[in-house]
Amino acid sequence: MVVDPDAVFHALADATRRDILMRVIRSGQSVSELARAYPMSFAAVQKHVAVLERAELVSKTRRGREQIVQGEVGALRLVARLLDGYEHLWRQRAAGIERILEEEQ
Amino acid sequence: MVVDPDAVFHALADATRRDILMRVIRSGQSVSELARAYPMSFAAVQKHVAVLERAELVSKTRRGREQIVQGEVGALRLVARLLDGYEHLWRQRAAGIERILEEEQ
DNA sequence: CTAACGTACAACCACATGGTTGTAGATCCG
DNA sequence: CGGATCTACAACCATGTGGTTGTACGTTAG
């Protein structure tokens, strides 16, 4: 399954989810550990994790009765490259303008 | 006003808006020109542009009766740096694991 | 001046989102 | 076994989102 930019950007468009992502990138944590870190219900955190999971920014693995959430850096790289692409367009445009200005001299 | 990551990621979480952004980065276009390019009403495109504008990914400047939408690369760079930050965390973690493995030998 | 064009904005609708509570299934501990 | 813990998921609610249509206003063209 290819990464869906819509899903990845949407997942990143929430401060709580970005915070969860940072935590689990640093080191995997169970859903309850995460839930204890935020002023909201367990179910709410569970939903945030599900959004990150759909975007393939995190993955879960069972360990006994706990579910360990881990960061996945692949999708992140992909959207970072997308943003780089936009910036490349920008530089091309800037270069085009420069070229035109030079030719006008 | 500092860039709001929520706003920027949310703006990018829609294929139509990403397409609009690419177009106007390449070269500024009026709102009507943009509207003609998509299978939706003028008002809908206008709203998408407004979302991009709130995220400071584009800016508008009047030219006669037209409103020219232009790409702004600043916010883009900022969120790209944010993503780089996450990847940095990832590498730190990976480095930490390697160090631990080395010490265990 | 009048007509057409480009824009802005409000009102409305269907649906997704972010939060809640409650219930139920696994798994571990004493 | 029985209780505590971790997880999953459904139902519900308020609010936001993406789309529509309609109306109003400034600007340009004939």
Side-chain angles (χ1 to χ4, degrees):
Chain A
M1 181 59 185
V2 185
V3 172
D4 173 16
D6 282 33
V8 178
F9 283 124
H10 170 248
L12 292 171
D14 181 286
T16 302
R17 283 196 290 265
R18 288 195 301 275
D19 199 77
I20 291 177
L21 181 58
M22 274 200 302
R23 281 173 188 264
V24 301
I25 281 179
R26 255 192 271 264
S27 77
Q29 291 187 33
S30 74
V31 183
S32 339
E33 276 178 312
L34 288 173
R36 268 179 245 120
Y38 303 97
M40 64 185 76
S41 69
F42 174 85
V45 173
Q46 210 176 15
K47 282 191 185 180
H48 281 304
V49 171
V51 171
L52 288 166
E53 204 177 2
R54 256 190 303 152
E56 299 180 45
L57 287 165
V58 307
S59 63
K60 291 192 294 190
T61 57
R62 271 221 167 274
R63 196 179 62 190
R65 64 184 158 184
E66 293 180 328
Q67 196 82 263
I68 305 297
V69 184
Q70 288 162 304
E72 290 290 335
V73 87
L76 219 52
R77 284 219 185 95
L78 236 142
V79 295
R81 214 168 297 156
L82 225 169
L83 295 187
D84 285 347
Y86 293 143
E87 209 177 324
H88 184 63
L89 277 183
W90 177 264
R91 278 195 300 270
Q92 276 186 324
R93 198 201 78 152
I97 289 170
E98 262 184 44
R99 196 171 42 74
I100 288 165
L101 289 178
E102 278 177 16
E103 283 171 0
E104 277 181 353
Q105 285 181 359
Chain B
M1 180 58 188
V2 184
V3 172
D4 173 16
D6 283 32
V8 178
F9 283 124
H10 171 248
L12 292 171
D14 180 285
T16 301
R17 283 197 291 266
R18 287 195 302 275
D19 198 77
I20 291 178
L21 180 59
M22 274 199 302
R23 279 174 190 267
V24 301
I25 281 178
R26 254 193 271 263
S27 78
Q29 291 187 31
S30 74
V31 183
S32 339
E33 277 177 310
L34 288 172
R36 269 180 244 118
Y38 302 96
M40 64 185 76
S41 69
F42 174 85
V45 173
Q46 211 175 14
K47 281 191 186 179
H48 281 304
V49 171
V51 171
L52 288 166
E53 205 178 1
R54 254 192 303 152
E56 297 180 47
L57 287 165
V58 307
S59 63
K60 291 193 294 189
T61 58
R62 271 221 167 274
R63 194 178 62 189
R65 64 183 157 184
E66 294 181 328
Q67 197 83 263
I68 306 297
V69 184
Q70 288 163 305
E72 290 289 337
V73 87
L76 219 51
R77 283 218 185 93
L78 236 142
V79 294
R81 214 167 298 156
L82 223 169
L83 295 188
D84 286 347
Y86 292 143
E87 210 178 325
H88 184 61
L89 277 184
W90 177 263
R91 279 194 300 270
Q92 276 185 322
R93 196 200 80 152
I97 289 171
E98 262 184 45
R99 194 172 43 72
I100 288 165
L101 291 178
E102 277 176 16
E103 284 172 359
E104 279 184 349
Q105 285 181 359

